[in-house]
Amino acid sequence: MIERKTRMRKKKTAIAGRETDNGAIRSGKHLMACLSICFFILALFAAPSFAFENPVGSLSGQVLDAETKEPLMGAAIMLAGTQFGTATDGDGRFTIEQIPAGNYTVTCSYVGYLPALITDVIVKTRSQSPLKIELTVSAIETREVTITPSAFSNIEREPVAVTSLSYEEIRRHPNSAGDVSRIIMALPSVAKVNDTETALVVRGGSTLENGFYVDGIPVPNINHFPAQGASSGAMSLINIDFIEDVQFMAGGFSARYGDRMSSVTDITLREGTRNGLKGQLDFDMTGFGGGLEGSLPGKKGSWMLAAHRSYFDLVVDLFDIEASTTPYYTDVATKLTFDASPRHRFTLLDIAGFDVSRIKRQQAIDNKEGDYGRGNWNVNTFGIGWRYLYGKRGYCETTLSHNITSWDSEWRTTKDDEILNAAKTTEQKFTLKNDQHLLFNKRTALDLGGEAVYQEEDIGNYWGETLDPLGNLVPAIHVSRNISSPVIGGYVSLRRDWLPRFTTTLGVRADYSDYTSRATVSPRAQLSFRLNEKTAVSGAYGRYYQQLPLILLSQKDEFKKLDDPYADHYVVSASHLLTENTRLTVEAYDKEYGRMPLNPLQPSLFVMDQIAHGDEAQEQLTNNGEAWTRGVEVMVQKKLVDKVFGVVSGSIFRTRYQGFDGTWRDRSYDNRWMFTIEGGYKPNRNWEYSLRFVYAGGAPFTPFDHAASYAAEEGIRDSLRVNAERLPDYHTLNVRVDRRFHFRSSDLICYLNIWNIYNRENIAGYYWSPVENRQKTSYQWGILPVIGIEFEF
């Protein structure tokens, strides 16, 4: 790993890390922790006196055909281990009243369909918890064999590399802190790089290579303090209380998804309640917020509104803390669902984030920081969706969306007060997207669709004269231009069940960018063979192109002539249901990269990884780079049934690149091996205990040339030892305790989550301090209590 310590990179660690010995910031964090602990103790001891002894709630929802989205009338709904149950009405809807509040497992069955097992269903006091269940048509005659309901039925048609997470799994995770990306970071496909950032490094790919969708709408970056040109940031801006389901695809994904080489995260937001008005308030160490939801007139739809704000800046002002950095953020989200008719459904979605960070020069001097400045980040995604049901022949989904992200920042050296870099850039995308799912018969389905994107970027970036990581002088680069360009893409994918247990999916995707005047064609293929009811083997191949980020292409006109880089995915997978709620998966993969950008002036470095580390300025580029990642992943996942849940996973992998000098080297994310164990115990409806332990090999890094660095008073890496050394192994243990209180018409959740409980000093990297003119160490999270309160009414 090589980092040029510019402010573009430094601002992330200033927000979340432990790079400096800043006692003032730590005092602020300690004060916020003390405030959170006081609220936690107050709630924990005061709440029982108001708790209701026999709280009851209700459960409502809808059962749909997974292929057509048509409602299923007469589906049987049962709460496992109880006498509570019912059947769906003509609209596929159901309601069960007077259920004791708590956590349940729901079973759903319907003639001719595979039964489903839904875990982690929470029944809350005096409120209906909406539940959506989708059933898949059985490929075999159900009268000839007894089919056991599976907790993994929602992803059984996905051949490879798909992990599904429910809202409750995300909420209670001992590493989440309300952040979707942090839970995905626990999966065996994701490298362990730096736990102070929400940076997904999937199967060796950099943070530039990940795509995100929310309710079918493409979202460039789902994080606060978003990095320019990448998908990383400080923390997620998606409100987890809105989430119904998250599907993470680590490779071999279908032709529906384009312009990403590594992974896709597809987030589905739930509907709001259609019965009365519900609200929620929350408070934890990161901030405070709340939300409301309710029904539209005539119960024809629902609405949800939520907002959240950090409060570190408020604490700094209130207690006059001398902190050199006072970052704060706000996010607002809303969703509206309207059923115009049984076949037509419309949705409206808006997600916005507003982020600010300030570092004063005098305080930077006092704290021996190398730079200071200010930054403002604003993001917004607005979209309208329309779903139309064709009846028994499928459905179509159309979305029209607008994304806008703006960066306004200036960072200077503390010592000389010279500009390191500055940005005043606005990026916009207008996207019209249509997806069709058509059924020809019980065994054949066709997916096709397309998207038209109009992208506009008003770029104002400046990088001051500096030394590159290897000590070569890089002149100042100033980019000021407006780019507007249409992009179009389309795909077709045919799925065929040749035998009751054998399925193939063949697809192709085509994309064209007017800015680069380049077209790409991407073949995709997937196959799956079910050996028996519990065991399946599958494989996938696909070529995945991705346009280089505009922050790179805009620096010189000739960069537009570069070919789009690509990755070929080869994946082989096997899965076995150990029980109805426990699944074993083993997956081997090979990613072969081609046409990757390289800088001839930095022949030993890899541009895609350098951009992810904040080193965006490039004088020259070619596109003859190659790289590869190969590995094996094993995971055993148990859903919450019978009081216990958990995941045990491990992976062994290598990821390497060939530099412009022809030498093969390890990429920055080559941990080589990882092991994770996480899980929990829920003895009753009130208490829950969970933990997460991770151990991973140290990431490679390039050591400093200390003599050259000292002479230049700036960090210069050893050009003969690029990524030749490794950081110490990474390991950490997080523990969490949840306590739920049920009142007559509300619920209260208090939780204590301690990250890195034994205070392991995991090293994020080494940097050169120009103020002290010596090497220093950047650490990841030390021991950190995350305490929260959630009040639902």
Side-chain angles (χ1 to χ4, degrees):
M1 174 173 57
I2 295 180
E3 294 182 17
R4 180 200 300 172
K5 268 296 170 185
T6 61
R7 166 49 45 187
M8 188 64 71
R9 173 65 180 166
K10 180 77 172 289
K11 56 94 177 173
K12 298 180 188 176
T13 52
I15 292 167
R18 297 166 54 201
E19 183 172 293
T20 63
D21 297 324
N22 192 337
I25 295 179
R26 290 200 305 273
S27 298
K29 290 181 179 178
H30 291 162
L31 182 57
M32 289 191 294
C34 290
L35 291 174
S36 299
I37 290 172
C38 290
F39 276 102
F40 179 80
I41 294 175
L42 178 64
L44 196 62
F45 285 95
S49 61
F50 299 98
F52 194 49
E53 291 186 2
N54 299 301
V56 295
S58 58
L59 178 67
S60 63
Q62 188 177 28
V63 180
L64 305 173
D65 183 308
E67 296 277 13
T68 67
K69 307 304 179 186
E70 286 276 294
L72 298 178
M73 181 178 67
I77 308 294
M78 290 294 299
L79 272 60
T82 76
Q83 298 298 314
F84 292 96
T86 188
T88 57
D89 61 17
D91 295 324
R93 298 190 178 276
F94 66 90
T95 300
I96 305 175
E97 303 280 0
Q98 295 298 306
I99 307 171
N103 187 294
Y104 292 91
T105 297
V106 174
T107 63
C108 179
S109 59
Y110 193 72
V111 176
Y113 288 75
L114 295 174
L117 188 73
I118 303 94
T119 62
D120 280 319
V121 178
I122 304 295
V123 174
K124 302 174 184 178
T125 307
R126 295 295 183 188
S127 65
Q128 293 191 332
S129 304
L131 181 66
K132 184 175 73 175
I133 303 173
E134 294 189 353
L135 299 182
T136 302
V137 174
S138 175
I140 61 177
E141 288 292 336
T142 57
R143 290 172 293 184
E144 298 177 3
V145 62
T146 300
I147 300 178
T148 303
S150 166
F152 304 93
S153 59
N154 63 324
I155 57 173
E156 285 185 349
R157 273 205 177 271
E158 300 292 341
V160 294
V162 176
T163 301
S164 179
L165 299 167
S166 68
Y167 157 73
E168 187 62 17
E169 289 174 315
I170 296 169
R171 186 203 66 79
R172 66 157 182 251
H173 196 279
N175 192 56
S176 70
D179 193 322
V180 175
S181 297
R182 292 189 181 277
I183 299 172
I184 296 173
M185 288 166 66
L187 297 175
S189 304
V190 183
K192 306 301 179 282
V193 180
N194 190 337
D195 58 22
T196 66
E197 303 172 13
T198 54
L200 297 183
V201 176
V202 182
R203 293 183 173 174
S206 76
T207 58
L208 283 70
E209 301 175 27
N210 308 308
F212 297 91
Y213 292 80
V214 179
D215 278 356
I217 294 172
V219 181
N221 195 318
I222 63 169
N223 295 301
H224 285 288
F225 305 97
Q228 196 170 354
S231 62
S232 55
M235 61 205 73
S236 175
L237 56 80
I238 303 294
N239 190 308
I240 66 166
D241 292 306
F242 278 22
I243 292 177
E244 176 180 280
D245 177 75
V246 174
Q247 291 201 356
F248 174 69
M249 290 158 269
F253 39 90
S254 73
R256 177 181 181 182
Y257 303 103
D259 198 35
R260 286 298 178 265
M261 292 190 293
S262 280
S263 77
V264 170
T265 301
D266 201 335
I267 301 172
T268 301
L269 304 184
R270 65 177 177 85
E271 287 187 47
T273 182
R274 298 198 181 198
N275 295 276
L277 182 68
K278 289 175 59 178
Q280 182 259 350
L281 299 172
D282 63 81
F283 175 87
D284 60 28
M285 221 181 76
T286 65
F288 60 93
L292 287 172
E293 59 184 277
S295 174
L296 295 180
K299 297 186 177 181
K300 288 288 187 180
S302 63
W303 57 270
M304 297 189 296
L305 174 66
H308 193 270
R309 191 194 191 281
S310 65
Y311 58 84
F312 181 48
D313 61 308
L314 303 179
V315 172
V316 168
D317 292 340
L318 180 63
F319 295 94
D320 196 26
I321 297 174
E322 293 295 329
S324 63
T325 175
T326 54
Y328 61 92
Y329 64 88
T330 303
D331 55 67
V332 181
T334 186
K335 180 179 178 178
L336 184 147
T337 303
F338 173 63
D339 294 332
S341 73
R343 293 186 180 274
H344 295 271
R345 167 171 291 186
F346 295 91
T347 58
L348 182 148
L349 175 69
D350 190 81
I351 302 171
F354 312 96
D355 313 318
V356 177
S357 182
R358 299 282 188 271
I359 299 180
K360 303 173 184 178
R361 187 186 185 198
Q362 186 58 51
Q363 292 302 320
I365 293 173
D366 294 342
N367 291 293
K368 299 181 179 180
E369 295 188 9
D371 38 59
Y372 75 99
R374 53 140 187 107
N376 293 273
W377 301 258
N378 296 315
V379 299
N380 181 254
T381 293
F382 174 82
I384 299 173
W386 167 48
R387 190 191 71 185
Y388 176 71
L389 305 183
Y390 294 133
K392 300 297 183 181
R393 294 301 180 186
Y395 63 93
C396 78
E397 294 178 325
T398 303
T399 60
L400 177 63
S401 61
H402 173 240
N403 307 106
I404 183 170
T405 306
S406 65
W407 296 267
D408 184 1
S409 62
E410 182 178 286
W411 307 104
R412 292 175 173 268
T413 61
T414 304
K415 183 179 179 181
D416 303 318
D417 201 27
E418 296 179 351
I419 296 180
L420 279 170
N421 55 61
K424 195 171 184 61
T425 296
T426 300
E427 179 182 286
Q428 299 188 72
K429 287 186 178 181
F430 299 86
T431 304
L432 176 64
K433 185 170 175 286
N434 178 264
D435 298 292
Q436 306 269 344
H437 182 72
L438 306 175
L439 293 179
F440 295 121
N441 52 53
K442 187 176 180 180
R443 292 189 174 185
T444 308
L446 181 70
D447 289 290
L448 72 160
E451 57 189 338
V453 181
Y454 181 78
Q455 58 183 6
E456 182 174 311
E457 188 149 351
D458 186 8
I459 301 173
N461 286 332
Y462 175 80
W463 294 272
E465 181 181 279
T466 186
L467 299 180
D468 73 10
L470 302 180
N472 303 308
L473 181 65
V474 179
I477 297 177
H478 184 209
V479 180
S480 179
R481 62 173 58 186
N482 182 274
I483 297 174
S484 58
S485 168
V487 177
I488 58 174
Y491 70 93
V492 60
S493 183
L494 180 67
R495 191 191 76 230
R496 172 71 177 175
D497 295 330
W498 297 98
L499 298 171
R501 300 183 186 276
F502 181 60
T503 302
T504 62
T505 303
L506 299 177
V508 64
R509 181 179 181 90
D511 296 275
Y512 173 78
S513 170
D514 182 70
Y515 181 69
T516 61
S517 299
R518 295 197 178 276
T520 59
V521 178
S522 310
R524 312 281 170 89
Q526 302 169 327
L527 59 88
S528 177
F529 183 72
R530 185 164 292 278
L531 300 177
N532 53 50
E533 179 192 345
K534 295 183 177 181
T535 307
V537 293
S538 57
Y541 163 76
R543 172 159 289 192
Y544 301 85
Y545 285 97
Q546 181 174 340
Q547 180 179 290
L548 292 170
L550 289 179
I551 190 176
L552 188 65
L553 295 178
S554 63
Q555 294 180 31
K556 289 190 175 182
D557 288 334
E558 54 263 34
F559 288 177
K560 293 194 299 182
K561 300 176 183 179
L562 295 172
D563 292 330
D564 291 341
Y566 67 85
D568 286 333
H569 294 198
Y570 304 86
V571 187
V572 178
S573 177
S575 64
H576 178 71
L577 280 178
L578 301 175
T579 69
E580 63 184 17
N581 56 73
T582 306
R583 186 175 73 155
L584 166 68
T585 58
V586 180
E587 195 154 288
Y589 64 89
D590 179 11
K591 285 172 68 175
E592 300 287 338
Y593 289 90
R595 301 180 185 172
M596 302 296 281
L598 296 174
N599 187 340
L601 301 179
Q602 300 174 352
S604 59
L605 306 185
F606 197 55
V607 171
M608 292 292 279
D609 293 352
Q610 292 306 108
I611 296 175
H613 291 309
D615 205 1
E616 301 96 343
Q618 303 290 331
E619 290 183 85
Q620 296 182 25
L621 285 178
T622 67
N623 65 337
N624 57 344
E626 295 182 3
W628 56 259
T629 305
R630 298 161 192 157
V632 178
E633 300 166 358
V634 180
M635 183 168 70
V636 178
Q637 182 181 13
K638 184 187 185 305
K639 298 283 189 175
L640 176 56
V641 176
D642 299 327
K643 301 180 180 181
V644 177
F645 60 92
V647 175
V648 178
S649 65
S651 63
I652 300 174
F653 68 97
R654 291 295 305 275
T655 177
R656 310 202 80 200
Y657 72 92
Q658 186 179 44
F660 190 81
D661 58 4
T663 302
W664 284 91
R665 298 177 176 86
D666 294 335
R667 289 188 70 175
S668 300
Y669 317 111
D670 184 44
N671 291 106
R672 296 195 178 182
W673 62 274
M674 297 180 292
F675 173 76
T676 301
I677 180 169
E678 60 184 67
Y681 175 62
K682 192 164 187 174
N684 53 52
R685 71 185 181 197
N686 296 327
W687 289 95
E688 185 172 328
Y689 311 93
S690 58
L691 60 82
R692 172 180 177 261
F693 174 74
V694 179
Y695 203 114
F701 75 96
T702 304
F704 285 109
D705 182 329
H706 285 262
S709 299
Y710 187 83
E713 297 186 359
E714 186 171 343
I716 296 176
R717 304 284 178 168
D718 189 336
S719 61
L720 301 178
R721 302 166 67 195
V722 173
N723 283 355
E725 295 192 9
R726 290 186 171 268
L727 300 174
D729 289 350
Y730 171 95
H731 56 90
T732 185
L733 173 65
N734 297 356
V735 298
R736 175 166 171 154
V737 178
D738 286 61
R739 174 67 162 98
R740 187 183 291 267
F741 300 95
H742 303 282
F743 306 108
R744 187 177 299 274
S745 58
S746 59
D747 297 86
L748 177 69
I749 304 172
C750 302
Y751 64 86
L752 170 61
N753 190 182
I754 303 178
W755 292 9
N756 196 1
I757 193 169
Y758 54 81
N759 201 29
R760 161 74 175 180
E761 290 191 337
N762 290 304
I763 295 176
Y766 303 102
Y767 68 101
W768 194 271
S769 169
V771 176
E772 301 179 56
N773 200 23
R774 66 183 180 93
Q775 175 180 295
K776 299 190 73 175
T777 303
S778 175
Y779 292 97
Q780 303 185 49
W781 287 122
I783 186 170
L784 178 67
V786 179
I787 299 166
I789 299 170
E790 300 172 9
F791 180 60
E792 302 168 342
F793 56 92

